[in-house]
Amino acid sequence: MVQPGARLRALMKQGCVALPGAFNGLVGRLVAEAGFDGCYVSGGAVSAAVGCPDIGLLTLEGFTRVIHDVTTSSGLPCIADADTGFGEGEMVTKTVWEYHRAGAAGLHIEDQVFPKRCGHLDGKALIPTIDMAAKVGRARRASDACSDGTFIVCARTDARAVEGMQAAVARAKAYVEAGADMIFPEGLHTESEFAEFASHMKGLRGDAPDGGPFLLANMTEFGKTPMLPLSTYAMMGYHCVIFPVTTLRVAMKPVQEMLATLREKGTVEEWLPKMYSRQELYSSLRYTPGVEWTYPSKTKE
């Protein structure tokens, strides 16, 4: 069986991979059903789905439960958010092992001070570069031990908003030297900044097709980054693009509107044509009433 990390690496060598966010197993199924080759588990979306802000409140176990549900239901390779690594030193090691056991293809850890905040908010603070590099080194050794190095270690830097672009590049280079397979520059403001950052990565160590580490871009809505298509990121040298909270946002707006209708009218009959029907649900679940359903019945094998 090919390890999830190896599968995603192979896909990224063929082209830029779109990774829609999946905040539970059913959304993971829908991502696979729509024809995507991978998915993403966002800390912001998972936190919101349990009614909490994205400030590092969820536990390692809370994340791995969602990762397991998403990867088991979808059959897709998945990159998962690990915030600041759930602690120092040995917790970073444990996080890699537990994410790998849960089925993730890789994770990203960030260089913010805990408690962290969303990467597109102001007021962030960073830990020293040497401390983050030590975390990356821990993650690298854990990946080597648990997956023969196939599990992807992605280092996210939030330095653009705190210390400037040059510092973001310098930090990324240090993280690559420490063992990162992939770099995630968070909160870049323009297309030219993405292109500039990518150009600095090409001469570094790494397995990306054009040299250097793999690069991840964050296409979140309502943030610092302009809305850019996947093709533009591919042209600039990025190997995967996450859409972290998109599925949650488009799902919850109709829920909010439907609840207002129910409160006002006492019925949701007008919403029936807009609903995900019973038959559509059963189809996504690969379930036929009266026929034995076999676990896990992944959407993609």
Side-chain angles (χ1 to χ4, degrees):
M1 179 179 175
V2 179
Q3 296 274 15
R7 286 176 60 196
L8 185 54
R9 288 170 188 266
L11 288 166
M12 292 190 296
K13 288 181 179 180
Q14 296 169 17
C16 188
V17 183
L19 301 176
F23 55 91
N24 61 32
L26 180 57
V27 178
R29 281 186 176 275
L30 294 179
V31 171
E33 193 175 273
F36 290 94
D37 292 320
C39 60
Y40 174 71
V41 173
S42 157
V46 172
S47 297
V50 299
C52 295
D54 184 19
I55 54 174
L57 294 176
L58 268 64
T59 65
L60 172 58
E61 289 74 18
F63 270 89
T64 54
R65 181 171 60 251
V66 175
I67 293 165
H68 177 267
D69 289 347
V70 168
T71 57
T72 300
S73 297
S74 70
L76 296 174
C78 170
I79 290 287
D81 190 350
D83 287 344
T84 59
F86 299 98
E88 306 297 328
E90 202 57 35
M91 275 306 298
V92 174
T93 300
K94 181 179 180 182
T95 298
V96 171
W97 276 90
E98 294 300 326
Y99 273 40
H100 173 65
R101 286 174 177 145
L107 57 67
H108 66 74
I109 55 174
E110 63 201 60
D111 53 11
Q112 281 196 57
V113 169
F114 184 86
K116 53 76 55 92
R117 59 174 59 193
C118 170
H120 288 254
L121 295 179
D122 296 326
K124 296 181 289 185
L126 308 182
I127 63 174
T129 302
I130 191 171
D131 293 344
M132 178 62 177
K135 284 187 173 185
V136 172
R138 285 266 194 172
R140 170 78 276 132
R141 292 189 291 275
S143 171
D144 291 343
C146 73
S147 70
D148 291 328
T150 60
F151 184 88
I152 296 168
V153 175
C154 177
R156 165 178 148 178
T157 179
D158 287 67
R160 161 64 182 85
V162 182
E163 301 172 344
M165 190 66 164
Q166 288 187 342
V169 170
R171 280 177 172 265
K173 289 180 177 180
Y175 304 159
V176 171
E177 287 303 310
D181 303 298
M182 178 186 286
I183 294 294
F184 171 4
E186 177 63 304
L188 302 191
H189 289 200
T190 64
E191 181 178 334
S192 63
E193 285 190 354
F194 278 99
E196 177 189 348
F197 188 91
S199 70
H200 287 292
M201 298 295 106
K202 287 185 178 178
L204 305 182
R205 178 194 65 81
D207 296 327
D210 296 326
F214 292 106
L215 294 178
L216 180 153
N218 180 8
M219 191 59 272
T220 194
E221 304 83 18
F222 314 112
K224 304 289 187 182
T225 300
M227 300 297 291
L228 301 173
L230 189 73
S231 58
T232 297
Y233 284 112
M235 180 182 65
M236 293 188 293
Y238 288 79
H239 307 96
C240 64
V241 179
I242 59 173
F243 299 81
V245 194
T246 309
T247 53
L248 180 86
R249 289 188 173 119
V250 299
M252 297 314 297
K253 186 63 176 177
V255 169
Q256 186 183 57
E257 294 171 350
M258 178 277 297
L259 289 171
T261 300
L262 178 58
R263 176 67 176 167
E264 178 187 356
K265 300 181 178 180
T267 177
V268 295
E269 185 174 3
E270 68 186 71
W271 278 85
L272 289 176
K274 304 175 186 178
M275 287 187 184
Y276 184 49
S277 71
R278 184 190 300 272
Q279 187 52 50
E280 287 171 319
L281 174 61
Y282 287 174
S283 176
S284 294
L285 295 174
R286 294 189 171 186
Y287 170 62
T288 302
V291 177
E292 183 179 3
W293 188 85
T294 304
Y295 180 85
S297 186
K298 298 178 182 179
T299 303
K300 281 196 176 182
E301 301 296 340

